[in-house]
Amino acid sequence: MKRPTHLLRHCTILVLVSTFEFSPHKSYSSALTITTFNILAPVHRSMDASSRRESEREMWWRPRAEGVAQYIADKFVSSDVIMLQEWWFDETFTQVFDDATGHLFHRIAERRPSAVRGEMRDDGLCCLIRKDGVLEPIRSWQVSTGPTRISQLVHCRESRGSEGRDVYLANSHLSFPGDSDPLVNEERQASEAKIILDALSAAAEQFETNNNNSRESLHIICGDFNSNSCGLAASLCESHPYNFVNCASATAQQMLANIGGPINIGVTHCNHLGEQVSVDHIFLRLNKNCRNSIPTQTNRCTALAMGYLDTKGTRIVNVQKEDIVIEGKQVLSDHRPVTVSIHWPSVRKSLNETFESDLYVNVSMPLDPLESPWGIV
């Protein structure tokens, strides 16, 4: 029976051929779990038609704050890094979070500036790093992306049983699309994203140069983009020369649920206009110095687009959003958390261990959805 040609697709298969032996004390795997969550700052939540803010009364904001903090402590206890947007810098609010999460996470926050010179806004960005996790914080700093807007950049390093590889993260909250012209909104968000991408790349390059560090590093940009994965900001992350991988799109392609192109993970936010949108994203890449990294290709149906970042097994394992209620009076937040799991193996070799071959092969073959799915060999 002749196959219908419209069902045929071309995909890339990753073939790894390695002929060396692993010994338990010389090889290990490192798994990372990263979560992004806009927690809806009380200073931004309207309580009634008169636009009174939840932050005006502790009896209004405290129950939700306690709920969010405990939810994070219970649900994301295994996350190595949690990036929070709309962090409120109220002392009592901070204490509520420290009481619930302080025994689990280090907390690093960056406050955004006010439009009034020398003054600060009430909110900003916050990074939680698991105390018994695989990463330790090195430093955090902020980059201005526009009037009263910032991105939080965080440098971490593997802390145990590892080679001390570096992880650079960008906690991002792009501007709301408030202009009547959609193109103006998208171009502004893309401009903000470019500032973040350039700053993250420059920081990693400068540190590696100053410290003569040739080890591979992982770069992650995540947060509330206020636009979906088809927007200019998300597209910029995936384009040359940045070459980040959209985690949601990658896992969709791994499961043969997508034949190429950006994919939204589903509704992650109900905005103040009542619109349900997909705006919370996680992108990642390996640094350019990685010897085993997979070269970027124009064809999106490649191992890289499916989240396989090198030829030794670094890959996006899973992406999921939590289906919490995001509208109504009893919400924890108007955003849903998104979490990615990353497999990031490392191999230490002795002098008598060698690679006879480490081969990346592009094999173009027809993929028929009616046949059994192929796998990674």
Side-chain angles (χ1 to χ4, degrees), residues 65-233:
E66 291 175 340
V68 172
Q70 195 58 53
Y71 175 76
I72 290 172
D74 295 340
K75 189 69 177 180
F76 304 115
V77 65
S78 297
S79 289
D80 294 289
V81 178
I82 304 173
M83 291 299 201
L84 303 177
Q85 299 87 49
E86 296 198 18
W87 175 263
W88 190 28
F89 279 83
D90 177 84
E91 290 185 7
T92 307
F93 177 88
T94 300
Q95 189 60 53
V96 166
F97 263 80
D98 285 348
D99 290 344
T101 67
H103 62 295
L104 299 172
F105 298 100
H106 300 289
R107 173 178 52 80
I108 312 170
E110 299 289 341
R111 192 167 182 170
R112 63 188 182 120
S114 167
V116 179
R117 187 178 180 85
E119 296 185 8
M120 303 298 288
R121 295 287 296 266
D122 293 326
D123 68 315
L125 302 165
C126 181
C127 175
L128 303 180
I129 301 172
R130 183 157 61 100
K131 290 182 175 179
D132 65 348
V134 298
L135 298 179
E136 61 180 0
I138 302 299
R139 67 173 180 135
S140 169
W141 68 104
Q142 64 175 251
V143 173
S144 174
T145 59
T148 76
R149 306 205 72 85
I150 63 169
S151 173
Q152 178 186 24
L153 303 187
V154 180
H155 177 193
C156 296
R157 182 171 298 142
E158 290 179 308
S159 58
R160 63 185 186 187
S162 63
E163 298 175 344
R165 296 173 297 180
D166 294 291
V167 178
Y168 298 90
L169 306 103
N171 188 4
S172 310
H173 191 182
L174 304 187
S175 58
F176 184 80
D179 196 276
S180 58
D181 186 344
L183 182 58
V184 171
N185 296 322
E186 290 213 24
E187 289 179 342
R188 180 171 58 247
Q189 291 170 345
S191 176
E192 294 167 0
K194 186 178 188 305
I195 292 172
I196 297 168
L197 291 162
D198 288 342
L200 188 70
S201 300
E205 182 177 355
Q206 181 179 13
F207 179 85
E208 290 161 3
T209 299
N210 292 346
N211 293 275
N212 194 26
N213 182 359
S214 61
R215 292 189 298 269
E216 68 182 15
S217 59
L218 192 65
H219 301 176
I220 300 168
I221 178 170
C222 63
D224 177 4
F225 276 45
N226 267 311
S227 55
N228 64 32
S229 62
C230 297
L232 292 181

Side-chain angles (χ1 to χ4, degrees), residues 154-368:
V154 180
H155 177 193
C156 296
R157 182 171 298 142
E158 290 179 308
S159 58
R160 63 185 186 187
S162 63
E163 298 175 344
R165 296 173 297 180
D166 294 291
V167 178
Y168 298 90
L169 306 103
N171 188 4
S172 310
H173 191 182
L174 304 187
S175 58
F176 184 80
D179 196 276
S180 58
D181 186 344
L183 182 58
V184 171
N185 296 322
E186 290 213 24
E187 289 179 342
R188 180 171 58 247
Q189 291 170 345
S191 176
E192 294 167 0
K194 186 178 188 305
I195 292 172
I196 297 168
L197 291 162
D198 288 342
L200 188 70
S201 300
E205 182 177 355
Q206 181 179 13
F207 179 85
E208 290 161 3
T209 299
N210 292 346
N211 293 275
N212 194 26
N213 182 359
S214 61
R215 292 189 298 269
E216 68 182 15
S217 59
L218 192 65
H219 301 176
I220 300 168
I221 178 170
C222 63
D224 177 4
F225 276 45
N226 267 311
S227 55
N228 64 32
S229 62
C230 297
L232 292 181
S235 298
L236 181 67
C237 293
E238 297 183 89
S239 67
H240 181 76
Y242 306 111
N243 304 321
F244 279 77
V245 177
N246 181 325
C247 293
S249 297
T251 53
Q253 292 199 46
Q254 287 178 25
M255 296 183 293
L256 305 182
N258 178 34
I259 61 172
I263 286 290
N264 291 317
I265 198 171
V267 173
T268 65
H269 175 43
C270 180
N271 64 28
H272 64 282
L273 302 176
E275 300 167 335
Q276 296 200 349
V277 291
S278 182
V279 298
D280 300 274
H281 309 295
I282 303 177
F283 298 83
L284 63 87
R285 71 179 180 189
L286 282 177
N287 69 325
K288 297 177 182 179
N289 295 327
C290 177
R291 183 179 67 85
N292 297 314
S293 62
I294 291 176
T296 303
Q297 303 184 25
T298 56
N299 181 5
R300 292 190 59 85
C301 192
T302 63
L304 182 64
M306 291 192 296
Y308 293 85
L309 304 184
D310 61 20
T311 60
K312 64 182 178 61
T314 302
R315 68 187 188 275
I316 300 164
V317 177
N318 183 43
V319 181
Q320 64 180 27
K321 64 179 174 67
E322 303 299 328
D323 286 327
I324 63 172
V325 175
I326 55 175
E327 57 182 333
K329 294 183 178 181
Q330 303 303 317
V331 299
L332 287 177
S333 175
D334 57 357
H335 284 256
R336 289 175 174 141
V338 176
T339 299
V340 62
S341 298
I342 307 159
H343 183 64
W344 191 21
S346 179
V347 178
R348 296 175 181 174
K349 304 188 298 294
S350 63
L351 292 177
N352 62 349
E353 290 176 322
T354 59
F355 281 99
E356 288 188 4
S357 61
D358 189 357
L359 181 65
Y360 172 71
V361 181
N362 279 334
V363 181
S364 183
M365 63 171 289
L367 174 63
D368 189 333

